[in-house]
């Protein structure tokens, strides 16, 4: 999704992909095959690149430090990216910055987890500090004994209070190396089984909560010295907003910006990591809805285009070229318009038809 904006900006992309069938490898001619966990592959790939950036956070920190030590420009840098790679580091730093977060504690045994749960109230949310995404590495437990298998592994776990929230939010921010920052409107994300199903822009929240969310995201960008686009996932509560997690890259919660904002998150990321002036983040319509297309029983989804495009000529369908597997994000649809419920219903209908949940 960065290829189109790169062409328009006259920027040449290169991709390091594990497999030639990866989504980016299918559309970027300058693709090299290799693993992000292979330092030699990274070093070969970096030769001739002006800037190295990422579409996920799982590049080993020591490899990024080796690249920067050799003079490779890495954005976001390894010191910033660490806060998206390790939730324990992220929580500690956000607490230092005074960013509102759920109450948390690192625990390594049932005694510590029991003490924390008794203090904040059960159930509590337990997370592995590294490697989790889309609900993986997260567990809600009602007692310490329910986490005995994780605790038996001997690694410290992040325990957080279970927040009673009214909705989940996300805020996209872009920041360039010289410190310019731009923030997008706050959006609501609708999660099902730990996976984002819908994104609604703008979020229907109080103005003071929206401003607090944007200010928190901007303060994180500056405090962590972030470069590029990143997403701050939050909880909206009656008392204000709390920061849940960070994604230091263009993010699923920002896919709506392709049609819904004057500058998409993908163009904005290129501008930011290349230290170009940042683009306009205002919306192109009063309301925008994005619905993820998750894999189901239908392996071939392109035949669904005929119905979706005929039913709603204004729907925008994006498919990722991925092999369809149940529950896997394989695409998304976006709709824009003047009325929130109508826009949302159109996006949900198209995604449901492509998934095969409805047949008319």
């Amino acid at each position: 999704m960065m290829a189109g904006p790169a062409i328009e900006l006259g920027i040449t992309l290169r991709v390091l992909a594990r497999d030639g069938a990866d989504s980016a490898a299918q559309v970027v001619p300058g693709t090299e095959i290799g693993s992000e966990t292979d330092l030699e592959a990274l070093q070969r790939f970096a030769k001739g690149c002006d800037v190295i950036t990422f579409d996920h956070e799982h590049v080993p920190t020591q490899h990024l430090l080796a690249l920067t030590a050799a003079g490779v420009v890495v954005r976001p840098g390894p010191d910033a990216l660490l806060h998206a790679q390790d939730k324990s580091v992220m929580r500690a730093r956000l607490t230092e910055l005074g960013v509102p977060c759920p109450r948390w504690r690192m625990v390594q045994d049932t005694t510590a987890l029991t003490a924390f749960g008794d203090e904040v109230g059960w159930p509590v949310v337990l997370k592995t500090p590294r490697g989790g995404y889309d609900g993986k590495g997260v567990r809600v437990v009602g007692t310490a004994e329910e986490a005995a298998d994780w605790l038996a592994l001997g690694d410290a776990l992040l325990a957080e209070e279970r927040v009673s929230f009214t909705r989940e939010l996300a805020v996209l921010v872009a920041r360039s190396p010289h410190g310019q920052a731009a923030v997008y409107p706050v959006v609501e994300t609708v999660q099902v089984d730990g996976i984002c199903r819908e994104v609604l822009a703008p979020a229907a929240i109080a103005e003071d909560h929206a401003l607090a969310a944007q200010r928190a995201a901007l303060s994180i960008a500056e405090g962590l010295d972030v470069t590029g686009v990143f997403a701050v996932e939050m909880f909206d509560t009656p008392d204000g907003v709390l920061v849940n997690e960070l994604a230091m890259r263009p993010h699923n919660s920002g896919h709506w910006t392709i049609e819904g904002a004057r500058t998409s998150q993908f163009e904005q990321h290129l501008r930011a990591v290349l230290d170009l002036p940042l683009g306009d983040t205002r919306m192109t319509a009063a309301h925008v809805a994005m619905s993820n297309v998750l894999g189901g029983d239908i392996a071939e989804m392109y035949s669904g285009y005929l119905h979706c495009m005929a039913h709603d000529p204004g729907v925008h369908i994006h498919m990722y070229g991925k092999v369809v597997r149940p529950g896997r994000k394989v695409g998304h649809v976006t709709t824009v318009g003047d009325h929130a419920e109508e826009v949302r219903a159109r996006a949900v209908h198209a995604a449901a038809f492509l998934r095969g949940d409805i047949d008319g």
Side-chain angles (χ1 to χ4, degrees), residues 27 40 47 66 119-120 149 196 212 228 242 281 291 294 318 327 331 341 356:
V27 296
E40 290 186 2
K47 292 178 180 178
E119 176 183 327
V120 303
D149 55 336
C196 180
L242 299 173
T281 59
S291 184
L294 305 183
H318 298 266
E341 290 304 317

Side-chain angles (χ1 to χ4, degrees), residues 179-202:
Q180 183 189 7
V183 62
Y184 286 85
V186 182
V187 301
E188 177 179 355
T189 63
V190 180
Q191 313 284 330
V192 179
D193 297 328
I195 299 176
C196 180
R197 293 294 290 265
E198 299 174 54
V199 176
L200 309 173

Side-chain angles (χ1 to χ4, degrees), residues 299-322:
E300 189 278 305
M301 293 187 171
Y302 286 98
S303 58
Y305 277 32
L306 179 63
H307 166 83
C308 291
M309 291 178 174
H311 177 75
D312 184 354
V315 71
H316 300 273
I317 302 173
H318 298 266
M319 301 300 286
Y320 306 156
K322 294 180 177 180

Side-chain angles (χ1 to χ4, degrees), residues 53-57 75-85 90 220-221 224-232 245-251 269:
T53 190
F54 317 93
D55 70 350
H56 63 70
E57 298 96 344
R75 293 174 178 160
D79 292 340
L81 194 65
L82 179 61
H83 297 88
Q85 295 172 321
M90 178 266 293
I220 294 169
L224 304 187
D225 194 24
V226 177
T227 52
V229 164
F230 80 109
V232 184
E245 295 188 357
L246 306 179
M248 216 162 283
R249 52 181 165 78
H251 188 252
H269 187 68

